[in-house]
Amino acid sequence: MSRLPLTIAAVLGAAAFCTGSLTLPAPAGRADIVPVLPVTVPSVHEFTPGSGYFDLASGAHIVASGEAAPIATRLAGDLTRAGHVATPGGGAAGPGAVTLRIDDSGPPQPESYRIDIGDTVTVTARTTEGAIHATQTLLQWFSQSTVLPFGTVTDWPDYGERGLLLDLGRKFLTVDWIKQRIREMAYYRMNLIQLHLSDSYGFRLASISHPEITSPQHYSRAEMSEIISYAADYGIEVMPEIGFPGHMNGILESHPDLILHPATTSPVDAATDSLLAGTAQGRIDLSNPAARPLIEDLLREFVPLFPGRYFHLGGDEYVSDYSRFPQLTDYAHTTLGPQFTGQDLVADTVNRAAGIIRSYGKTPRMWNDGIPAGGRIPVDRSIIVDYWTGGNGLIPWIGTQNGPESLADQGFTLSNASFTPTYWATGGTAAALNSPPELLYAWDPALFVNGTRLRADQRDRLLGSKLFVWADDPNAMTEQQMVDPVRARLPIMAQQLWAGTKGNPYPVFVDQVRAVGNPAG
């Protein structure tokens, strides 16, 4: 079998990243073998070395049963596509074989796994997710060398949420392109993909309740089911987002009577709406009695179609100056009571939507600026908040009202969606603010966009983060042109959230990414 030599930088990176790793004498007559544990991206947490070497057998047997059997089948297929020959099955594991086990003897951390390397390689995990992650570690190793030093790897993620967002509401991306990104995410042991399905340029799902809103370019139910199933095979959860009450352009194009119009518009307001990519045309008028039924129809139609734990309801960039929209406060007075305002109308709408999502056994999520400030009705604390801006869409780095600490104290769970440096846009105004990969690599996932951090006692309120791929200008790039910028950033986000960079120099990390390559097929 062919073996790809590691670069010197990647070898040094392996020693730096793997606790207890060391260089051992090469086996007799095997000077072609680099005698270290191959690198992985992200790096593994712990390696306790032994004495001796495992060599993957030609026609390697991947042994598994029960819920581990389909994972073994996928590993065998991945190894074969990577240039090896591997077959799954049951029975005993001889020298050079790999065994997958899912049982309670695995390490206790969520998504963790242990790999014992001796004459055979044995993977042990408590969950299917942990076993899937372990197979990707094996695939990265065997893509570099079929010989491994004896020892034990124990590995787990620092953050429970490690994701990618794709802005499909602005730019339609093919099913195959999405599946390729899912496969790469799994290779880097990530676990959540957010599909932003409705925005300025379209509504990307085939709606039965409101067929008039379905864009010409959309995903059929069969196509979305294919994406969900493919993601599940590799341990990736799909989180849909249908945003409201803002960013509803793709929906309101067929319902222009429901667009929210301001009582007054200044030049500053007009400029703001222009910079925010047509925000004004995407706001639904919550004072119109037909607004809520439309939103609720779509939630009841689409929430049950996605088997994951979450449904994202958006909430961002609706109204910052309620004085421009007195009809919202007037409607709140009529429907909620004379003491309530436009902010309360928004909070009540969000809470009703969250209730629908919870009725299907799922957890609602929203963007942090969708939580109105100054109202009497509190937003439901069960909603997970993606914190992307300290202020507003134009100046996200400034502002502490409803900041991360305050939201955590109120009982919210957070994900760090820091505009800088986790966002990358294909074009439009936001593209000028794209952070280079080096800045993302220097970032700390616990640092929010406004420069604040959660207190130590709030740390369990932070789930993790995602790489956010936006398409403010859908025509700025083809989907093929988007591949390299995403590939440059995805492994960085994976490393940050799994184990941190631990001071490893960025050029060395780039060499490690090259060493593990991309998943074959």
Side-chain angles (χ1 to χ4, degrees), residues 11 35 53 66 68 82 107 141 152 249 298 343 351 354 377 429 448 484 509 519:
V11 172
Y53 290 88
W141 284 345
T152 298
N249 310 58
L298 297 178
Q343 289 96 321
N351 289 345
I377 295 178
T429 305
F448 288 88
D484 285 347
F509 177 77

Side-chain angles (χ1 to χ4, degrees), residues 172 201 203-204 213-219:
F172 181 84
Y201 297 99
F203 186 85
R204 304 302 185 187
I213 71 171
T214 301
S215 298
Q217 285 187 307
H218 66 272
Y219 305 99

Side-chain angles (χ1 to χ4, degrees), residues 134-408:
T135 63
Q136 300 311 296
T137 295
L138 293 177
L139 184 59
Q140 289 190 8
W141 284 345
F142 293 140
S143 294
Q144 300 165 73
S145 174
T146 57
V147 175
L148 306 175
F150 281 5
T152 298
V153 163
T154 306
D155 201 18
W156 65 90
D158 288 346
Y159 289 91
E161 185 167 293
R162 308 171 305 283
L164 170 70
L165 175 144
L166 297 178
D167 180 8
L168 307 176
R170 293 187 178 93
K171 184 175 182 64
F172 181 84
L173 298 168
T174 62
V175 171
D176 283 347
W177 195 94
I178 296 170
K179 288 168 68 175
Q180 288 168 10
R181 304 292 80 73
I182 289 170
R183 183 65 193 91
E184 290 164 2
M185 290 177 66
Y187 198 54
Y188 299 130
R189 307 200 290 279
M190 302 177 85
N191 62 1
L192 181 69
I193 185 167
Q194 181 173 342
L195 302 182
H196 185 83
L197 292 161
S198 176
D199 212 302
S200 306
Y201 297 99
F203 186 85
R204 304 302 185 187
L205 295 172
S207 176
I208 295 173
S209 65
H210 289 276
E212 74 281 359
I213 71 171
T214 301
S215 298
Q217 285 187 307
H218 66 272
Y219 305 99
S220 68
R221 298 202 172 195
E223 288 172 324
M224 190 53 61
S225 179
E226 178 184 352
I227 291 170
I228 292 169
S229 177
Y230 183 82
D233 284 345
Y234 282 102
I236 306 290
E237 183 176 1
V238 175
M239 176 169 66
E241 178 185 355
I242 298 177
F244 75 87
H247 292 280
M248 294 182 64
N249 310 58
I251 297 170
L252 296 179
E253 185 177 358
S254 300
H255 294 272
D257 54 310
L258 294 181
I259 295 175
L260 177 67
H261 297 288
T264 61
T265 301
S266 70
V268 172
D269 297 328
T272 299
D273 289 340
S274 176
L275 283 172
L276 295 180
T279 296
Q281 298 303 310
R283 302 185 186 112
I284 194 169
D285 187 354
L286 293 177
S287 71
N288 189 316
R292 279 187 175 179
L294 173 60
I295 292 168
E296 294 175 7
D297 284 348
L298 297 178
L299 290 173
R300 294 189 187 281
E301 177 178 3
F302 290 110
V303 172
L305 295 184
F306 292 85
R309 294 168 293 170
Y310 306 120
F311 196 96
H312 205 293
L313 55 83
D316 60 313
E317 295 180 329
Y318 182 56
V319 169
S320 57
D321 181 1
Y322 282 84
S323 67
R324 295 176 60 206
F325 305 96
Q327 66 268 45
L328 297 177
T329 293
D330 291 344
Y331 195 70
H333 289 167
T334 301
T335 58
L336 301 176
Q339 73 273 34
F340 295 108
T341 64
Q343 289 96 321
D344 295 307
L345 180 63
V346 172
D348 184 63
T349 303
V350 166
N351 289 345
R352 286 167 61 109
I356 292 172
I357 293 168
R358 283 198 313 277
S359 74
Y360 291 98
K362 303 183 188 304
T363 299
R365 299 181 66 145
M366 68 184 296
W367 304 102
N368 71 291
D369 60 318
I371 300 174
R376 293 173 178 267
I377 295 178
V379 167
D380 184 346
R381 270 38 175 184
S382 74
I383 300 173
I384 293 174
V385 177
D386 289 276
Y387 196 95
W388 76 278
T389 177
N392 56 56
L394 291 179
I395 314 175
W397 308 275
I398 298 174
T400 56
Q401 187 174 35
N402 265 344
E405 283 185 281
S406 173
L407 291 173

